[in-house]
Amino acid sequence: MKPIANSIITSEQDFRNRRKIIAAGLSAVAAVSLAGGVLADAHDTSEPLKPTPLKTINSYNNYYEFGFDKSDPSEADKTLITSPWTVEITGAGADKKGVYDLADIYSEFAIESHVRRFRCVEAWSMVIPWNGIPLHKLIASAQPNSRAKYVRFITANDAQQMPNADWAGGPYTEGLTIAEAMNPLALLATGIYDKPLEQQTGAPIRLVLPWKYGFKYAKSIVRIELVEQMPKTTWWQQNSREYGFYANVSPHHNHPRWSQKSERVIGGFGRQRTQIYNGYADEVAHLYGALSDRQYFY
Ligand code: MTE
């Protein structure tokens, strides 16, 4: 595993400390401190969703192509050219392949607004008022055939426009089963708080999968492929033991190195309990088998 892969699991401060500790050759100590999820003061998540302030959403990010620290993506020069932008839809499972200009996508599909919980695998969370197009609408327009078993998402990867484009040795790639991709909760987001996405939040178009961990939310998507085989995703390639294909949120399935029982509320106070499927079980549990099946929760 590349040393950078560690940073996905940590808060910015933990990450900085961790790098110091790793430098001192004491990584085991860091692993123990990271596991310290405080459940004693975790409060319930049944109260109405309170959106995280935009400033916080826009300044605490994971977008490694623009740097590894949480503040790097928002502080990076705005070098990504997001207009014009095209999204190619292709693959053996698409009868109607094509290259869509984002402007055409905007004019063809109504932009919806949805306030959703966002849970990072690093055990922190936000609440984000997204704007975007349901993914199933775009997929339907590509006329999927019986070979469309999975959907693969490929993101922008240009060393001219991204200071750290090559961190994963190629474009950031994510995937879903076709059933997951057709679920109404899956959104192709284009904005937050009725403002276009910023570079650091994945402009101009990124995935939102509220029942899954945040690393599934591929940013700055350029290609969508309808394919027969389960795609090899970026974080699975980085560390297949820790970051699986499904990555559904569960408080009952700890990460190999820390607890997933609770989450730190970014821009809020303290911790709260993590919910199965991040609180969206009614919408998505039917997509999966027995709740005890570990494969769906990592
Ligand atoms: N997409 C790309 N292209 N590169 C990335 O590094 N990070 C992922 C995901 N999408 C990432 C990405 C991770 S680990 C998370 S938690 C979310 O984006 C973070 O989204 P946010 O910065 O909008 O909170």
Side-chain angles (χ1 to χ4, degrees), residues 37-39 41-45 49 117-127 213 249-251 259-266 269-276 278-279:
V38 187
L39 248 188
D41 62 350
H43 53 86
D44 249 335
T45 41
L49 294 180
R117 285 181 211 93
F118 174 93
R119 171 62 155 81
C120 179
V121 75
E122 300 166 343
W124 54 264
S125 69
M126 298 189 192
V127 173
Y213 290 120
V249 175
S250 168
S259 168
Q260 293 291 29
K261 287 191 168 42
S262 72
E263 57 206 42
R264 187 165 55 96
V265 182
I266 305 295
F269 298 100
R271 303 185 72 89
Q272 65 189 11
R273 285 178 204 286
T274 291
Q275 303 180 66
I276 189 81
N278 204 24

Side-chain angles (χ1 to χ4, degrees), residues 136-247:
H136 67 84
K137 292 196 177 171
L138 199 67
I139 292 183
S141 73
Q143 295 174 8
N145 59 44
S146 61
R147 296 169 76 184
K149 301 223 167 30
Y150 293 91
V151 186
R152 180 167 182 249
F153 301 87
I154 294 112
T155 71
N157 195 251
D158 183 349
Q160 303 291 318
Q161 299 182 46
M162 298 164 144
N164 202 22
D166 203 38
W167 74 270
Y172 195 95
T173 303
E174 259 306 335
L176 295 169
T177 65
I178 188 75
E180 291 177 322
M182 298 308 282
N183 186 278
L185 273 186
L187 197 72
L188 281 169
T190 54
I192 297 172
Y193 275 107
D194 297 325
K195 296 185 169 68
L197 292 177
E198 304 267 340
Q199 175 175 283
Q200 64 270 24
T201 50
I205 188 160
R206 60 96 58 96
L207 265 178
V208 171
L209 304 162
W211 71 102
K212 291 181 179 285
Y213 290 120
F215 67 90
K216 301 290 295 181
Y217 293 42
K219 292 179 169 178
S220 310
I221 292 167
V222 293
R223 197 158 81 243
I224 298 174
E225 297 174 356
L226 307 189
V227 296
E228 287 181 273
Q229 305 295 327
M230 183 183 276
K232 291 186 171 60
T233 57
T234 289
W235 274 102
W236 181 84
Q237 285 173 308
Q238 293 286 313
N239 186 339
S240 62
R241 211 177 69 85
E242 301 191 352
Y243 307 106
F245 175 83
Y246 287 95

Side-chain angles (χ1 to χ4, degrees), residues 73-115:
S74 58
E75 287 170 5
D77 292 340
K78 301 290 177 256
T79 45
L80 186 67
I81 300 162
T82 55
S83 177
W85 189 274
T86 56
V87 178
E88 182 181 9
I89 306 192
T90 185
D95 279 347
K96 195 171 161 229
K97 301 176 177 58
V99 177
Y100 294 75
D101 197 290
L102 201 57
D104 295 338
I105 294 179
Y106 284 151
S107 61
E108 196 168 329
F109 303 101
I111 302 284
E112 300 182 2
S113 300
H114 298 283
V115 181

